[in-house]
């Protein structure tokens, strides 16, 4: 554990003690312990679209997550969350909460530890949170990650906001390859504000700043050919979101929900220039590139009253991330997300998280058009079945290499990337079978079956199909 990270942990612990015992408010401490056990089985096949020799991968994962939260008094709350993951097979594990893929190694991880002070007598809506904490917004387009930070939050009835500054200070996971040392030198400032300007109508603004101060090697230095810091980027993101519920009644439609996101980003990036030197790379210099891009993401969820026992929710969506039409100049117009995003969310009506842009391709919103249609059908109070179709097209064909989780190159000439289909089944086991558990709080079973069929952009691999299946069993104690 690095010194800077150790100091941050000690500082957080000290803040816990001081805040809880120095304030005059007296209340009984409250402590809650929750344990979640997850078993995951995942299978994937032909993610290279027959361009490589492979027989598919399969993995089985057990995850035990423990969360301790509560309050020292009426003004100070805290949370501590950790997990252990045991991997079997060769595919690694997938975190359905954050959208992250993990390697094949087993590991222990300290996910969150923070203290929150909300005892400002002069202004009650204000609070301060210090420590490693989750930053999450509903759609995962901006952030859904843990970060070492200090956050100032304002939470009033019609207006809510926060601003935070931080950077990851140390490795929180055992095992190799989980954390690049250069990641700890990325300073982030993020913030958001949400205003309910009329009942069930919201305007939100978000901003983020990234300063990568990890530094680049100098000309003449040799670096590891497989593991070196190739670039440093300083980027600003600004965006606005309008969302809400359409309350005007229609005979068979029950309050559609809409969301509109528009985001712009700009910055600069310094990249190393290297040449081969045996197994290493020799640094010959660096170059600066101007970054500019924009994105839009639209969604509409429409509940339809087919009958008293059948009320499906239809979803339509469109997302676009700008691309670059000239890779040879020093102006890059590819949109980049913040690096804290997950692109996973709880769509209206469906009780479990879904991949916004498909479970097989699983792309970032960059140089892409994505059109989505889907439906969620609540079969019973405990069982939902959902299906989502995605059409993908490159915004710019020139300069593109590979996209998302598909391990095959595009031809750089065509934009038709392909089609994706996800089928999902979500079952509340206890409710479905009228089981009243004494120790277990909830048992949930989720199955995702995904496919991706390649388009013209993959050249000779056109019409090849990649598959991914995933089963998650969550037991919460």
């Amino acid at each position: 554990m690095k010194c800077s990270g150790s100091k941050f942990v000690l500082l957080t612990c000290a803040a816990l003690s001081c805040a809880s015992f120095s304030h005059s408010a007296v209340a009984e401490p409250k402590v809650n312990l929750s344990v979640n056990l997850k078993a995951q089985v995942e299978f994937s096949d032909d993610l290279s679209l027959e361009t490589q020799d492979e027989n598919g991968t399969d993995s089985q994962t057990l995850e035990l997550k423990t969360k301790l939260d509560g309050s020292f008094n009426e003004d100070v709350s805290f949370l501590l969350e950790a997990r252990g993951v045991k991997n079997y097979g060769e595919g690694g594990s997938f975190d359905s909460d954050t959208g992250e893929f993990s390697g094949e190694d087993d590991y222990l991880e300290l996910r969150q530890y923070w203290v929150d002070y909300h005892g400002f007598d002069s202004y009650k809506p204000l609070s301060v949170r210090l420590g490693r904490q989750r930053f999450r917004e509903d759609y995962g387009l901006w952030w859904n990650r843990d970060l070492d930070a200090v956050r100032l939050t304002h939470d009033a009835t019609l207006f809510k906001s926060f601003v935070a500054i931080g950077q990851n200070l140390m490795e929180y996971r055992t095992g190799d390859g989980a954390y690049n040392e250069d990641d700890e030198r990325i300073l982030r400032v993020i913030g958001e504000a949400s205003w309910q300007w009329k009942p069930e109508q919201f305007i939100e603004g978000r901003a983020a700043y990234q300063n990568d101060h990890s530094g680049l090697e100098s000309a003449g230095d040799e670096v590891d050919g497989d593991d070196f810091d190739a670039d440093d980027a300083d980027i600003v993101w600004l965006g606005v979101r309008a969302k809400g519920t359409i309350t005007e009644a229609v005979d068979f439609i029950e309050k559609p929900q809409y969301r509109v996101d528009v985001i712009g980003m700009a910055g600069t990036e310094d990249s190393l220039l290297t040449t081969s030197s045996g197994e290493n790379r020799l640094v010959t210099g660096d170059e600066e590139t101007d970054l500019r891009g924009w994105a839009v993401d639209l969604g509409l969820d429409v509940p339809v009253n087919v009958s008293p026992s059948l009320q499906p929710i239809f979803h339509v969506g469109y997302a676009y991330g700008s691309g670059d039409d000239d890779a040879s100049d020093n102006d890059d117009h590819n949109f980049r997300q913040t690096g804290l995003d997950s692109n996973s969310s709880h769509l209206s009506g469906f009780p479990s998280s879904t991949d916004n842009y498909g479970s097989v391709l699983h792309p970032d919103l960059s140089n892409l058009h994505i059109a989505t249609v889907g439906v969620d059908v609540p079969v019973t109070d405990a069982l939902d079945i959902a299906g989502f179709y995605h059409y993908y097209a490159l915004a710019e064909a020139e300069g593109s290499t590979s996209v998302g989780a598909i391990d095959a190159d595009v031809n750089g000439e065509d934009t038709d990337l392909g089609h994706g289909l996800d089928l999902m089944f979500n079952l509340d086991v206890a409710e479905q079978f009228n089981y009243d558990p004494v120790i277990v709080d909830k048992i949930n079973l989720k199955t995702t079956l995904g496919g991706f069929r390649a388009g013209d952009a993959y050249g000779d691999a056109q019409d090849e199909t990649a598959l991914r299946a995933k089963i998650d069993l969550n037991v919460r104690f």
Side-chain angles (χ1 to χ4, degrees):
M1 185 178 289
K2 299 178 179 63
C3 180
S4 60
S6 301
K7 290 180 178 178
F8 190 73
V9 174
L10 292 173
L11 179 60
T12 304
C13 294
L16 274 167
S17 302
C18 293
S20 59
F21 294 111
S22 63
H23 197 269
S24 59
V26 177
E28 289 292 330
K30 297 179 181 179
V31 178
N32 304 305
L33 175 65
S34 63
V35 178
N36 190 89
L37 177 64
K38 181 176 78 172
Q40 181 182 96
V41 178
E42 184 177 7
F43 169 79
S44 63
D45 184 57
D46 200 15
L47 294 182
S48 68
L49 304 177
E50 295 290 340
T51 62
Q52 303 175 24
D53 293 330
E54 62 173 351
N55 296 316
T57 60
D58 63 272
S59 62
Q60 304 81 42
T61 304
L62 289 176
E63 175 189 286
L64 182 64
K65 181 166 62 178
T66 302
K67 182 167 68 174
L68 184 71
D69 65 332
S71 60
F72 289 103
N73 54 47
E74 63 182 20
D75 295 332
V76 181
S77 57
F78 66 90
L79 182 142
L80 178 67
E81 183 183 53
R83 68 173 174 174
V85 175
K86 175 66 177 177
N87 284 310
Y88 304 88
E90 55 186 7
S93 60
F94 178 80
D95 190 330
S96 56
D97 184 28
T98 63
E100 292 178 289
F101 285 98
S102 299
E104 300 175 23
D105 294 336
D106 306 332
Y107 61 86
L108 299 174
E109 181 183 21
L110 177 59
R111 301 192 76 187
Q112 296 188 74
Y113 62 93
W114 52 255
V115 56
D116 188 284
Y117 179 75
H118 38 271
F120 296 98
D121 293 333
S122 59
Y123 197 63
K124 287 295 185 181
L126 202 64
S127 66
V128 176
R129 181 171 296 178
L130 170 67
R132 184 165 183 80
Q133 53 194 282
R134 171 65 55 86
F135 289 90
R136 185 202 309 267
E137 53 91 3
D138 293 341
Y139 199 61
L141 185 62
W142 282 81
W143 38 71
N144 186 15
R145 287 288 193 275
D146 300 322
L147 180 69
D148 297 328
V150 179
R151 170 169 22 186
L152 180 66
T153 299
H154 174 274
D155 189 351
T157 304
L158 300 179
F159 184 81
K160 300 179 181 180
S161 63
F162 81 79
V163 62
I165 182 171
Q167 66 180 42
N168 288 324
L169 298 176
M170 62 186 233
E171 170 68 275
Y172 289 98
R173 181 184 296 184
T174 61
D176 297 327
Y179 180 80
N180 188 320
E181 290 185 2
D182 297 313
D183 291 343
E184 73 173 19
R185 301 185 183 95
I186 300 178
L187 176 69
R188 300 182 187 274
V189 180
I190 64 177
E192 70 179 34
S194 177
W195 173 42
Q196 185 177 190
W197 61 280
K198 63 184 296 186
E200 300 187 71
Q201 306 296 322
F202 298 84
I203 292 291
E204 299 177 347
R206 289 178 176 83
Y209 168 67
Q210 167 191 300
N211 172 234
D212 185 343
H213 54 98
S214 55
L216 298 177
E217 303 293 338
S218 302
D221 292 341
E222 283 198 1
V223 295
D224 189 328
D226 297 323
D227 182 19
F228 65 94
D229 185 10
D231 47 59
D232 287 349
D234 296 338
I235 307 175
V236 174
W237 292 264
L238 294 173
V240 63
R241 172 179 297 174
K243 68 176 185 179
T245 301
I246 302 172
T247 57
E248 287 75 9
V250 179
D251 288 343
F252 57 91
I253 295 178
E254 181 69 26
K255 293 186 177 181
Q257 295 182 355
Y258 70 90
R259 177 189 49 80
V260 178
D261 271 286
V262 179
I263 308 172
M265 51 82 63
T268 60
E269 180 176 61
D270 295 322
S271 302
L272 281 183
L273 301 175
T274 66
T275 186
S276 178
S277 178
E279 295 182 354
N280 296 326
R281 303 288 297 180
L282 178 66
V283 178
T284 59
D286 62 77
E287 64 177 1
E288 182 177 290
T289 301
D290 291 326
L291 309 176
R292 286 178 296 159
W294 70 283
V296 61
D297 193 306
L298 318 173
L300 178 66
D301 295 308
V302 182
V304 177
N305 294 319
V306 178
S307 70
S309 60
L310 182 60
Q311 297 178 327
I313 300 174
F314 291 88
H315 173 80
V316 293
Y318 170 74
Y320 167 79
S322 62
D324 186 52
D325 61 357
D326 186 358
S328 62
D329 62 14
N330 288 340
D331 290 311
D332 185 355
H333 292 171
N334 286 301
F335 178 74
R336 302 186 186 188
Q337 293 185 258
T338 62
L340 299 174
D341 55 276
S342 68
N343 292 328
S344 62
S345 62
H346 290 257
L347 296 179
S348 176
F350 195 71
S352 293
S353 62
T354 61
D355 293 288
N356 298 344
Y357 307 138
S359 66
V360 180
L361 186 62
H362 198 69
D364 288 333
L365 187 55
S366 178
N367 191 30
L368 274 181
H369 298 273
I370 307 172
T372 301
V373 293
V375 61
D376 167 41
V377 181
V379 179
T380 69
D381 290 340
L383 174 63
D384 282 71
I385 299 176
F388 294 93
Y389 164 79
H390 307 275
Y391 173 70
Y392 307 97
L394 294 171
E396 302 289 346
E398 183 181 352
S400 300
T401 53
S402 61
V403 179
I406 295 297
D407 192 16
D409 291 339
V410 295
N411 60 18
E413 300 175 356
D414 299 298
T415 59
D416 175 24
L417 201 61
H419 310 263
L421 180 64
D422 287 331
L423 298 177
M424 288 170 286
F425 306 85
N426 190 84
L427 177 66
D428 186 326
V429 177
E431 184 173 352
Q432 179 68 31
F433 297 101
N434 295 319
Y435 172 61
D436 187 14
V438 178
I439 299 177
V440 176
D441 183 44
K442 189 172 184 179
I443 305 173
N444 190 82
L445 179 66
K446 177 187 173 186
T447 301
T448 303
L449 306 175
F452 172 78
R453 189 172 181 83
D456 296 344
Y458 285 100
D460 293 339
Q462 179 185 355
D463 294 332
E464 292 291 342
T465 301
L467 302 172
R468 173 173 281 129
K470 181 161 58 72
I471 300 174
D472 289 323
L473 176 64
N474 282 280
V475 182
R476 188 174 67 201
F477 299 90

